[in-house]
Amino acid sequence: MHPITRWLLALAAVAGLAAAALSAVDLHRQREALRADVEAADLGDRWPHLADAVLRDVDPYWGRINLARALVYDAADSRRMEGMTVRQAALESVAAPRRLSLARELASEALAERPVVWQSWLFRGAALYRDWFRRLDERLFTERDQWEQDLDMAIRLAPGRAEPTRVRAGIIVDLWPAMSADERALELPTLAAAFENTATLKQFVVGWLTAAEEPFAAIPDDPDALAVVRDATRRLQDW
C-alpha cells in the first residue's frame, strides 16, 4: 500500500472516531436536556410510567415528541382536577400554562429539526390551542390560524392516521357551541370522518351528545357506533 494511501486511511479512521465521540457527547447532552424537561414538566408524580418511558426512549428526539404529547393530553384531561384541594387546584392553575408552553417549545424544536414529522406539527398546534382554551382567550377565534394551520398540516402529512383527526375532533366538540352555522357546516365532515373510528367516538361521544342539537349528523350509521351512543345516553341519564 502506498504510504500516502495508508496515511489517508489512518486520517479517515481518526476523523471517524472523533465524529463518533462528538456524536456520543451530543447524545448525552440531549438526554440530560430531556431529563431536565421531564423534571420541569412534573410528570413523575401523576404519570410515573410515562415519565420513565420518555426517558428510556433511544432517540431523544422522539422523547421530546412524546413529552409534548403527554403534556397536551394531560391538559386536555378534565378529570385531573378531581379530588384536588383548593391549594392544589390553585397550584395546578399556575403550572398548567407553563407545561403547555414547554410542550409547544418541545414541538417547535422537533419541527425545526425534522419538518416532515407530523407529530411535531400536531402537538405544537394542540399545545397553543389548549393554552388559549383554558384561558378563554379570544385569540382562540381571532387568531385561530395560529393553531389551526399546524393541525391541518399534521392531518395532511399523516393521511389515514387516527391521532391527528382525533385531536381535531376533540377541538371541534369543544368549540361547537360557539361556532356559527357556516363554521359548523365546514367542520361537520371532519367530525363525521373522525367518528368512523370507534375509539375516537367513545372518547368524545358524551361531549358531542351534550353540545350538538343534531348529534346524529356526525355519527356513523353502523351497529358499533350506535351501541356507543346508546351506552353514552344511558350514562347521561344516570347522571
Side-chain angles (χ1 to χ4, degrees):
M1 182 182 294
H2 194 282
I4 293 179
T5 302
R6 188 180 297 111
W7 179 80
L8 288 173
L9 289 173
L11 185 62
V14 170
L17 288 172
L22 287 173
S23 178
V25 169
D26 183 58
L27 184 63
H28 177 74
R29 179 189 60 77
Q30 290 184 50
R31 288 189 182 284
E32 288 303 306
L34 181 60
R35 184 177 298 278
D37 287 334
V38 169
E39 291 176 359
D42 191 26
L43 282 177
D45 291 340
R46 294 193 311 283
W47 308 100
H49 300 300
L50 183 56
D52 289 343
V54 167
L55 291 173
R56 285 199 307 270
D57 214 308
V58 175
D59 185 347
Y61 174 88
W62 289 107
R64 294 199 300 273
I65 290 285
N66 288 325
L67 180 54
R69 173 186 277 113
L71 292 170
V72 167
Y73 287 159
D74 183 53
D77 184 4
S78 59
R79 297 169 300 176
R80 74 188 189 286
M81 302 290 283
E82 293 177 1
M84 287 188 179
T85 65
V86 173
R87 182 176 183 277
Q88 288 171 330
L91 290 173
E92 176 63 21
S93 68
V94 173
R98 175 175 52 79
R99 293 194 197 105
L100 287 168
S101 177
L102 175 59
R104 184 162 170 78
E105 180 183 327
L106 290 166
S108 296
E109 290 173 359
L111 182 58
E113 188 175 332
R114 304 178 193 176
V116 296
V117 172
W118 60 266
Q119 290 94 334
S120 54
W121 291 97
L122 178 63
F123 296 115
R124 188 176 74 165
L128 183 60
Y129 167 81
R130 279 293 154 203
D131 188 31
W132 286 356
F133 181 78
R134 66 170 301 281
R135 296 172 189 263
L136 302 179
D137 193 314
E138 66 177 11
R139 290 177 295 174
L140 198 63
F141 295 98
T142 61
E143 299 180 26
R144 65 184 301 162
D145 284 353
Q146 293 288 314
W147 56 266
E148 194 170 47
Q149 288 179 354
D150 283 359
L151 300 184
D152 290 344
M153 178 61 79
I155 291 171
R156 285 198 297 273
L157 288 172
R161 295 274 190 155
E163 189 173 22
T165 308
R166 183 179 300 133
V167 170
R168 187 78 166 112
I171 290 173
I172 293 171
V173 172
D174 281 345
L175 300 182
W176 191 262
M179 288 183 185
S180 68
D182 288 344
E183 288 171 332
R184 290 180 177 184
L186 286 173
E187 298 289 7
L188 194 60
T190 300
L191 192 61
F195 283 171
E196 289 176 2
N197 181 293
T198 304
T200 300
L201 179 59
K202 285 180 178 179
Q203 185 172 352
F204 299 116
V205 65
V206 171
W208 177 238
L209 292 175
T210 304
E213 294 87 352
E214 299 179 10
F216 284 95
I219 293 171
D221 185 16
D222 69 64
D224 289 341
L226 295 177
V228 170
V229 173
R230 283 195 298 271
D231 180 63
T233 302
R234 282 196 296 268
R235 282 185 282 138
L236 285 171
Q237 290 171 345
D238 290 342
W239 291 342

